Amino acid sequence: MGLLILMLVFGLLVVVGMPVAFAMGIAAASAFWFEGFPMLITFQRATAGVSVFSLLAIPFFVFAGEIMLHGGIAKRLVKLAAALVGHLKGGLAMVNIFSSMLFGGISGSAVADISALGSLLIPVMKERGYRPDFAVNVTVTSSIAGIVIPPSHNMIIFAVAAGGGISISKLFLAGVVPGILMCVSLAIAAYILSIKHNYPAEPFPGWAEVGRTAMDAIPGFITAVIIVGGTLSGVFTVTESGAFGALYALLLTKFYYRSLTWDAFVLAVTGAVRTTAMVMILIAFASSFAYLLALYQVPTKLSDLLVSISDNPIVILMMINVILLLLGMIMDMAALILICTPIFLPIAKGLGMDPTQFGIMMLVNLGLGLCTPPVGTCLFVGCAVGRIKIEQALKSIWPFYLAILVALILVTYVPAVSLWLPSLLG
């Protein structure tokens, strides 16, 4: 009965439009009250959930991304991408995808990717004869590369949700190949569609221009090198790497590029504070919610249910992916990481899947959810930037969905896709 109350209250609050974090907190408090536990335990579990040292890295990661967004780094990355791949068929689509891979790896935010690159590239693509829905779909689907390519604060959330026994450094390494694979799959889909619709290629600017744009963009890449390299080398903890990365991004955009104005700095600080507050509140109340799921033995019961349907690991993993895809259509990504990790990770480990591989599978899967209605944040932002209706984008987005699904299937069933690089570098 307690589990029914927990899920019923949570579901009703989400349906009426309450933010997911508060819906989880109220649902947890209702279940604790029904079980006769002191109400204070709701907040004790919430406090324990955010009292994790590695979570301190999240505000630094987010702040570094906001500084990159408002400090002019995106424009330099677009110029580099245009010089490298703009001469291919459908060149601006390739530039869009490649820029997302570069900027996403620095900012770690899909929404920031769309806001920065979409506002730059979508209008230009329209002027060059690209269909508006194609321009938006390329921007939206390629933006989720930042979720998988390190540094990504979602990897930290997953590591915390998994109980803290998973190395964040290993997660960083494991996300590189899947992130690149996803972008390559999207580029192939965009290339095929570009041939079909005869989209133009841009003139090759010459290797001298490629070198010039690369030298201009390289200082921005050093932000990711500091964060990821510092963590992997063991010189810094993930929190210290995030702090040094944010400081470097601030100094770079203010004194080297001289493109960070006071108004842009205020926007960056405001955005970082808002995002960090949302994430921390979500983590806090999700901890209370997850505690009750464990108390009611939901992971064990769900595992028994899946095994009763089939004992084939391929089928069970497929069912987990389908469940995550469906949930990703209606709930926020961070909330699902916190709720679903304690439920599905033990099942995946029981099938012999490495926890790191499962983490990357979950990130790719839920990243796709950001591009799907009815709650797809990236889809809504992309359509707003491109000034088209969501219905218009959905009519032609399916080739890009298929491209991401190809990457998801490879990550799920080919362990080397995510584990090869961590094993290579020890």
Side-chain angles (χ1 to χ4, degrees), residues 190-220:
Y191 182 76
I192 294 172
L193 291 173
S194 297
I195 293 176
K196 177 181 178 181
H197 297 289
N198 196 29
Y199 291 139
E202 306 301 312
F204 182 62
W207 289 109
E209 179 65 14
V210 172
R212 190 190 68 79
T213 55
M215 292 302 296
D216 193 35
I218 282 175

Short mmCIF file of all heavy atoms in Angstrom, two decimals, residues 190-220:
data_model
loop_
_atom_site.label_atom_id
_atom_site.label_comp_id
_atom_site.label_asym_id
_atom_site.label_seq_id
_atom_site.Cartn_x
_atom_site.Cartn_y
_atom_site.Cartn_z
N ALA A 190 22.39 13.07 -41.92
CA ALA A 190 22.29 14.41 -42.51
C ALA A 190 22.84 14.43 -43.93
O ALA A 190 22.29 15.12 -44.81
CB ALA A 190 23.04 15.41 -41.63
N TYR A 191 23.91 13.70 -44.19
CA TYR A 191 24.51 13.65 -45.53
C TYR A 191 23.54 13.02 -46.54
O TYR A 191 23.37 13.53 -47.65
CB TYR A 191 25.81 12.86 -45.47
CG TYR A 191 26.55 12.79 -46.78
CD1 TYR A 191 27.27 13.89 -47.26
CD2 TYR A 191 26.54 11.63 -47.54
CE1 TYR A 191 27.94 13.83 -48.47
CE2 TYR A 191 27.21 11.55 -48.76
CZ TYR A 191 27.92 12.66 -49.21
OH TYR A 191 28.57 12.60 -50.41
N ILE A 192 22.91 11.93 -46.13
CA ILE A 192 21.95 11.26 -47.03
C ILE A 192 20.78 12.19 -47.34
O ILE A 192 20.35 12.32 -48.50
CB ILE A 192 21.44 9.95 -46.39
CG1 ILE A 192 22.60 8.94 -46.27
CG2 ILE A 192 20.30 9.35 -47.20
CD1 ILE A 192 22.24 7.69 -45.49
N LEU A 193 20.26 12.87 -46.31
CA LEU A 193 19.15 13.80 -46.54
C LEU A 193 19.59 15.00 -47.36
O LEU A 193 18.80 15.54 -48.16
CB LEU A 193 18.60 14.27 -45.19
CG LEU A 193 17.85 13.22 -44.37
CD1 LEU A 193 17.50 13.76 -42.99
CD2 LEU A 193 16.58 12.77 -45.09
N SER A 194 20.85 15.42 -47.20
CA SER A 194 21.36 16.55 -47.98
C SER A 194 21.45 16.21 -49.46
O SER A 194 21.17 17.05 -50.33
CB SER A 194 22.73 16.97 -47.45
OG SER A 194 22.64 17.43 -46.12
N ILE A 195 21.84 14.98 -49.76
CA ILE A 195 21.87 14.53 -51.16
C ILE A 195 20.45 14.48 -51.73
O ILE A 195 20.19 14.92 -52.85
CB ILE A 195 22.56 13.16 -51.27
CG1 ILE A 195 24.05 13.28 -50.91
CG2 ILE A 195 22.40 12.58 -52.67
CD1 ILE A 195 24.78 11.96 -50.90
N LYS A 196 19.52 13.96 -50.92
CA LYS A 196 18.13 13.83 -51.36
C LYS A 196 17.52 15.19 -51.70
O LYS A 196 16.81 15.35 -52.70
CB LYS A 196 17.31 13.12 -50.28
CG LYS A 196 15.83 13.00 -50.62
CD LYS A 196 15.07 12.31 -49.49
CE LYS A 196 13.58 12.23 -49.80
NZ LYS A 196 12.82 11.59 -48.69
N HIS A 197 17.80 16.19 -50.84
CA HIS A 197 17.19 17.51 -51.03
C HIS A 197 18.13 18.49 -51.75
O HIS A 197 17.79 19.67 -51.87
CB HIS A 197 16.78 18.09 -49.67
CG HIS A 197 15.73 17.30 -48.96
ND1 HIS A 197 14.42 17.24 -49.39
CD2 HIS A 197 15.80 16.50 -47.85
CE1 HIS A 197 13.72 16.46 -48.56
NE2 HIS A 197 14.54 16.00 -47.63
N ASN A 198 19.31 18.00 -52.16
CA ASN A 198 20.28 18.81 -52.90
C ASN A 198 20.68 20.08 -52.14
O ASN A 198 20.71 21.19 -52.69
CB ASN A 198 19.72 19.19 -54.28
CG ASN A 198 20.82 19.68 -55.22
OD1 ASN A 198 21.98 19.28 -55.11
ND2 ASN A 198 20.47 20.56 -56.15
N TYR A 199 21.01 19.89 -50.85
CA TYR A 199 21.49 21.03 -50.07
C TYR A 199 22.91 21.37 -50.50
O TYR A 199 23.69 20.48 -50.88
CB TYR A 199 21.45 20.70 -48.58
CG TYR A 199 20.04 20.57 -48.03
CD1 TYR A 199 19.71 19.57 -47.13
CD2 TYR A 199 19.04 21.47 -48.41
CE1 TYR A 199 18.43 19.45 -46.62
CE2 TYR A 199 17.75 21.35 -47.90
CZ TYR A 199 17.45 20.35 -47.02
OH TYR A 199 16.19 20.23 -46.52
N PRO A 200 23.30 22.64 -50.40
CA PRO A 200 24.61 23.07 -50.95
C PRO A 200 25.78 22.71 -50.05
O PRO A 200 25.63 22.44 -48.85
CB PRO A 200 24.45 24.58 -51.05
CG PRO A 200 23.49 24.92 -49.93
CD PRO A 200 22.52 23.78 -49.87
N ALA A 201 26.96 22.71 -50.65
CA ALA A 201 28.22 22.59 -49.92
C ALA A 201 28.90 23.96 -49.92
O ALA A 201 28.75 24.73 -50.86
CB ALA A 201 29.12 21.55 -50.57
N GLU A 202 29.62 24.25 -48.88
CA GLU A 202 30.32 25.53 -48.78
C GLU A 202 31.72 25.39 -49.40
O GLU A 202 32.30 24.31 -49.40
CB GLU A 202 30.45 25.96 -47.31
CG GLU A 202 29.12 25.99 -46.56
CD GLU A 202 28.11 26.93 -47.19
OE1 GLU A 202 28.49 28.07 -47.50
OE2 GLU A 202 26.95 26.51 -47.40
N PRO A 203 32.27 26.48 -49.93
CA PRO A 203 33.62 26.41 -50.51
C PRO A 203 34.67 26.16 -49.44
O PRO A 203 34.57 26.66 -48.31
CB PRO A 203 33.80 27.79 -51.15
CG PRO A 203 32.84 28.68 -50.42
CD PRO A 203 31.67 27.82 -50.07
N PHE A 204 35.67 25.34 -49.79
CA PHE A 204 36.75 25.05 -48.84
C PHE A 204 37.64 26.28 -48.71
O PHE A 204 38.16 26.80 -49.72
CB PHE A 204 37.57 23.86 -49.32
CG PHE A 204 38.68 23.47 -48.39
CD1 PHE A 204 38.42 23.06 -47.10
CD2 PHE A 204 40.01 23.54 -48.81
CE1 PHE A 204 39.44 22.71 -46.23
CE2 PHE A 204 41.05 23.19 -47.95
CZ PHE A 204 40.75 22.77 -46.65
N PRO A 205 37.88 26.79 -47.50
CA PRO A 205 38.61 28.06 -47.33
C PRO A 205 40.13 27.93 -47.47
O PRO A 205 40.83 28.93 -47.51
CB PRO A 205 38.23 28.48 -45.91
CG PRO A 205 38.00 27.19 -45.20
CD PRO A 205 37.39 26.25 -46.22
N GLY A 206 40.62 26.70 -47.51
CA GLY A 206 42.07 26.50 -47.58
C GLY A 206 42.65 26.15 -46.22
O GLY A 206 42.09 26.49 -45.17
N TRP A 207 43.79 25.47 -46.27
CA TRP A 207 44.38 24.98 -45.03
C TRP A 207 44.92 26.11 -44.15
O TRP A 207 45.00 25.99 -42.93
CB TRP A 207 45.50 23.99 -45.33
CG TRP A 207 44.97 22.69 -45.86
CD1 TRP A 207 45.07 22.21 -47.12
CD2 TRP A 207 44.23 21.72 -45.12
NE1 TRP A 207 44.43 20.99 -47.24
CE2 TRP A 207 43.91 20.67 -46.02
CE3 TRP A 207 43.78 21.63 -43.80
CZ2 TRP A 207 43.18 19.55 -45.64
CZ3 TRP A 207 43.06 20.52 -43.42
CH2 TRP A 207 42.76 19.49 -44.33
N ALA A 208 45.24 27.24 -44.77
CA ALA A 208 45.72 28.38 -43.97
C ALA A 208 44.60 28.88 -43.06
O ALA A 208 44.81 29.19 -41.88
CB ALA A 208 46.20 29.49 -44.89
N GLU A 209 43.38 28.94 -43.60
CA GLU A 209 42.23 29.36 -42.80
C GLU A 209 41.89 28.33 -41.73
O GLU A 209 41.51 28.69 -40.61
CB GLU A 209 41.03 29.61 -43.71
CG GLU A 209 39.75 30.03 -42.99
CD GLU A 209 39.87 31.39 -42.31
OE1 GLU A 209 40.84 32.12 -42.61
OE2 GLU A 209 39.01 31.71 -41.49
N VAL A 210 42.03 27.05 -42.08
CA VAL A 210 41.80 26.00 -41.09
C VAL A 210 42.76 26.17 -39.91
O VAL A 210 42.36 26.09 -38.74
CB VAL A 210 41.97 24.60 -41.72
CG1 VAL A 210 41.94 23.52 -40.64
CG2 VAL A 210 40.89 24.34 -42.76
N GLY A 211 44.03 26.42 -40.23
CA GLY A 211 45.02 26.61 -39.17
C GLY A 211 44.73 27.84 -38.32
O GLY A 211 44.86 27.80 -37.09
N ARG A 212 44.30 28.92 -38.96
CA ARG A 212 44.02 30.15 -38.22
C ARG A 212 42.83 29.97 -37.27
O ARG A 212 42.89 30.38 -36.11
CB ARG A 212 43.73 31.29 -39.20
CG ARG A 212 43.65 32.67 -38.54
CD ARG A 212 43.12 33.72 -39.48
NE ARG A 212 41.72 33.48 -39.80
CZ ARG A 212 40.71 33.80 -38.98
NH1 ARG A 212 40.96 34.34 -37.80
NH2 ARG A 212 39.47 33.55 -39.34
N THR A 213 41.76 29.35 -37.77
CA THR A 213 40.59 29.14 -36.92
C THR A 213 40.89 28.15 -35.80
O THR A 213 40.36 28.28 -34.70
CB THR A 213 39.40 28.65 -37.75
OG1 THR A 213 39.77 27.47 -38.48
CG2 THR A 213 38.94 29.71 -38.74
N ALA A 214 41.74 27.17 -36.10
CA ALA A 214 42.12 26.20 -35.06
C ALA A 214 42.90 26.87 -33.94
O ALA A 214 42.64 26.63 -32.75
CB ALA A 214 42.94 25.07 -35.67
N MET A 215 43.83 27.74 -34.30
CA MET A 215 44.61 28.44 -33.28
C MET A 215 43.73 29.36 -32.45
O MET A 215 43.97 29.55 -31.25
CB MET A 215 45.72 29.25 -33.96
CG MET A 215 46.81 28.40 -34.60
SD MET A 215 47.61 27.28 -33.41
CE MET A 215 48.36 28.47 -32.31
N ASP A 216 42.69 29.90 -33.08
CA ASP A 216 41.78 30.78 -32.34
C ASP A 216 40.88 29.98 -31.39
O ASP A 216 40.48 30.49 -30.33
CB ASP A 216 40.93 31.58 -33.33
CG ASP A 216 40.20 32.73 -32.66
OD1 ASP A 216 40.76 33.34 -31.73
OD2 ASP A 216 39.06 33.03 -33.07
N ALA A 217 40.55 28.73 -31.77
CA ALA A 217 39.63 27.93 -30.96
C ALA A 217 40.33 27.09 -29.90
O ALA A 217 39.71 26.71 -28.90
CB ALA A 217 38.81 27.02 -31.87
N ILE A 218 41.60 26.77 -30.10
CA ILE A 218 42.32 25.87 -29.19
C ILE A 218 42.29 26.34 -27.74
O ILE A 218 42.09 25.52 -26.82
CB ILE A 218 43.76 25.66 -29.68
CG1 ILE A 218 43.77 24.66 -30.84
CG2 ILE A 218 44.66 25.15 -28.55
CD1 ILE A 218 45.13 24.47 -31.49
N PRO A 219 42.50 27.63 -27.44
CA PRO A 219 42.43 28.04 -26.02
C PRO A 219 41.13 27.65 -25.34
O PRO A 219 41.11 27.33 -24.15
CB PRO A 219 42.59 29.56 -26.10
CG PRO A 219 43.39 29.79 -27.33
CD PRO A 219 42.91 28.75 -28.31
N GLY A 220 40.03 27.67 -26.10
CA GLY A 220 38.75 27.25 -25.51
C GLY A 220 38.74 25.77 -25.17
O GLY A 220 38.15 25.35 -24.17
#
